[in-house]
Amino acid sequence: MKRPLRALAAAGLLAAGSIAVALGGTASADTQICEQYGSTTIGGKYVVQNNRWGTSAQQCINVTSTGFSITRQDGVGSTSGAPVSYPSVFVGCHYTNCSPGTNLPVQVKSISSAPASISYNYVSGAIYDAAYDIWLDPSPKRDGVNQMEIMIWLNRQGPIQPIGSVVGNASIAGRTWEVWRGSNGSNNVISYVAPSPVASMSFDAMAFINDTRSRGAITADWYLTSIQAGFEPWQGGVGLAVNSFSQSVNTGGTTPTTPPATTPPPSTPPPGNAACSVKYATNVWNNGFTADVTITNTGSSAVNGWTLNYNLPSGQNITGSWNATVTQSGSAVTARNLSYNGTLAPGASTSFGYQATLSGGFSTPSSFTLNGATCTRV
């Protein structure tokens, strides 16, 4: 949902009357940025960016020595679509714009801790989220779109929601978060949504990275490329502010290694037609959907390695998946367990999901088989 910083000033594309700060500049006193993709540095360590990517209307931010505030926000976005911008402060590399002296990108397995601290100022009457963004990629990427975005929603106001659908809850940094998962078509997204506004928080960002890793979305060999904090406004937002932002990435020490890539051998197919059940939950829009599939072992013996087979209705094509290796040939879908979720004790469940494109009317698969045995649909 974030778009690149572009040196529009150098290209002579500044809007008339806008105030611009050259990319790579430094804010020693309060600095006003109205240029669409303008940015500056603060504290000799961080970059503050206007990043008004979703509207041609004016947005201005006032940059301080520790953060920024939104001073003008003319753009209006539909609450059923994307926000209009993402003014933020970041460390690391974002579309070739790297913060001063950063050690990012760095592999996850090399990170011992990533201490973070954030303080926000919220306003009433606006529609927005306050998001702490963590970006990761299989390569040490300094430009373009990364493959994985972790969004920590510390505040959500108005009828907006994260990308994808709810896949569960997580207890991280002393709080319980609602977890959403999906894709925006350019990258995968896992969002952790606070149940009530959090005005300030100190935590280790690695706790969220490790939870994302445990869900099979990344491995320890992936690279952390940048960490950002700011706002996604849909409507209004003047007065929203990042009062302060602190983020370090410490390397060295012992961190988990990449889980084995091997898959446990399949067990004997569960006997009968009632040894497994499948719940198929979806979130559908006009030209796509996400599906969350829950498999339950309803038999009396453990399943050690599973393969789920079914057929998708015509016009549905899978574009990405999580928590399973999912392949599609024509209408036939095969989902196989990963290394960490292949064993299902009697009564145990596991879930995986995917995003797909949709052409025509929507319907769900009619039947499922697990290791060759027909499952009950619940």
Side-chain angles (χ1 to χ4, degrees):
M1 295 173 69
K2 315 304 184 297
R3 292 297 183 269
L5 291 162
R6 299 185 180 93
L8 297 185
L13 298 179
L14 282 177
S18 63
I19 303 172
V21 175
L23 298 179
T26 301
S28 56
D30 286 13
T31 302
Q32 188 89 344
I33 302 178
C34 296
E35 195 271 316
Q36 185 172 8
Y37 298 107
S39 73
T40 189
T41 61
I42 60 173
K45 184 177 180 180
Y46 307 115
V47 175
V48 177
Q49 58 177 351
N50 198 24
N51 202 9
R52 175 172 49 87
W53 60 267
T55 178
S56 59
Q58 189 81 339
Q59 173 181 280
C60 297
I61 59 174
N62 183 64
V63 183
T64 68
S65 61
T66 59
F68 70 91
S69 62
I70 300 176
T71 56
R72 180 172 178 176
Q73 179 54 263
D74 296 344
V76 176
S78 169
T79 55
S80 61
V84 297
S85 63
Y86 183 57
S88 57
V89 54
F90 71 86
V91 64
C93 295
H94 182 68
Y95 286 92
T96 72
N97 192 13
C98 295
S99 58
T102 183
N103 61 345
L104 302 181
V106 65
Q107 280 186 299
V108 169
K109 65 184 179 184
S110 300
I111 302 173
S112 56
S113 64
S117 180
I118 184 73
S119 173
Y120 287 105
N121 183 69
Y122 299 138
V123 298
S124 59
I127 298 176
Y128 65 91
D129 68 70
Y132 208 97
D133 263 26
I134 302 170
W135 289 91
L136 302 111
D137 196 83
S139 64
K141 199 164 190 177
R142 292 175 171 82
D143 63 342
V145 178
N146 287 195
Q147 290 191 26
M148 187 71 230
E149 177 184 13
I150 301 172
M151 296 192 73
I152 307 169
W153 284 36
L154 287 94
N155 193 359
R156 170 172 56 167
Q157 296 297 315
I160 56 173
Q161 67 181 42
I163 289 169
S165 57
V166 177
V167 296
N169 293 284
S171 295
I172 304 174
R175 289 180 168 83
T176 298
W177 308 81
E178 187 178 65
V179 184
W180 292 63
R181 190 162 184 170
S183 171
N184 62 17
S186 298
N187 55 270
N188 295 320
V189 185
I190 292 182
S191 301
Y192 299 86
V193 182
S196 59
V198 179
S200 62
M201 184 168 132
S202 295
F203 61 101
D204 188 344
M206 282 301 297
F208 291 93
I209 294 173
N210 288 334
D211 185 82
T212 294
R213 181 172 171 268
S214 74
R215 298 172 187 273
I218 64 168
T219 74
D221 289 323
W222 281 44
Y223 290 81
L224 172 63
T225 62
S226 69
I227 299 179
Q228 311 169 332
F231 300 93
E232 291 186 319
W234 272 258
Q235 299 174 18
V238 172
L240 292 172
V242 170
N243 298 322
S244 62
F245 170 81
S246 174
Q247 179 68 65
S248 297
V249 178
N250 300 319
T251 57
T254 302
T255 57
T257 58
T258 305
T262 56
T263 300
S267 64
T268 302
N273 291 339
C276 53
S277 66
V278 172
K279 180 180 179 181
Y280 191 81
T282 59
N283 179 31
V284 183
W285 56 95
N286 61 346
N287 59 357
F289 68 96
T290 57
D292 290 292
V293 185
T294 302
I295 305 168
T296 301
N297 178 8
T298 59
S300 58
S301 60
V303 174
N304 295 307
W306 51 263
T307 299
L308 188 73
N309 295 101
Y310 55 97
N311 290 313
L312 281 179
S314 176
Q316 299 181 14
N317 292 286
I318 295 172
T319 58
S321 63
W322 52 89
N323 284 354
T325 299
V326 183
T327 58
Q328 181 178 2
S329 177
S331 63
V333 174
T334 301
R336 293 185 174 87
N337 66 273
L338 299 180
S339 60
Y340 57 85
N341 63 356
T343 299
L344 294 177
S349 299
T350 190
S351 297
F352 69 92
Y354 54 85
Q355 180 157 343
T357 58
L358 173 64
S359 175
F362 177 80
S363 58
T364 60
S366 58
S367 63
F368 300 84
T369 60
L370 184 70
N371 292 353
T374 302
C375 297
T376 302
R377 177 76 178 269
V378 296

